[in-house]
Amino acid sequence: MTRALGTILVVDDDPSIRRGLAAELAAAGYETLEAVDGEEGARLAAEREPDLVLTDLAMPVADGFELIARLRRAGRTPILVLSVRGGEADKIRALDLGADDFVVKPFSVPELLARVR
């Protein structure tokens, strides 16, 4: 049995994007976890301690900004934001809250995998 390269938590309220990302990451050798919003993402991150969190910004219950802030209070897990909200203000806010990188949707899977590595 092949060991996973690491565990990645994918947090996005759009099921097609979330499942697609999880499938691409699994095909690249990563174990994946999925959450539908920042609340579930924070809970899974605390329980499973992933090696990386990929999060959208616009989500119900708890948005990506809130998730980033919560994760930063809890530790230093790397956070990569994937969002259609590519304006400078959103990028700066996410990075200032503690995100490590920001990728604007749509993006290419090879570029995303390079950033994940």
Side-chain angles (χ1 to χ4, degrees), residues 64-81:
F65 295 117
E66 184 175 334
L67 176 60
I68 294 165
R70 289 174 70 174
L71 292 174
R72 278 299 159 257
R73 285 192 298 271
R76 293 297 317 156
T77 302
I79 303 166
L80 196 160
V81 174

Side-chain angles (χ1 to χ4, degrees), residues 7-91:
T7 302
I8 300 176
L9 172 58
V10 179
V11 186
D12 197 308
D13 63 320
D14 183 320
S16 62
I17 292 173
R18 189 177 62 251
R19 290 183 194 127
L21 281 170
E24 292 287 351
L25 292 164
Y30 297 94
E31 177 185 356
T32 59
L33 306 169
E34 297 180 40
V36 299
D37 58 43
E39 187 67 35
E40 184 181 23
R43 182 182 53 74
L44 275 174
E47 290 173 3
R48 299 288 304 274
E49 299 181 358
D51 299 299
L52 173 68
V53 174
L54 300 181
T55 186
D56 188 17
L57 291 179
M59 297 179 289
V61 184
D63 67 14
F65 295 117
E66 184 175 334
L67 176 60
I68 294 165
R70 289 174 70 174
L71 292 174
R72 278 299 159 257
R73 285 192 298 271
R76 293 297 317 156
T77 302
I79 303 166
L80 196 160
V81 174
L82 302 171
S83 180
V84 296
R85 295 168 63 169
E88 185 177 54
D90 286 327
K91 289 179 185 176

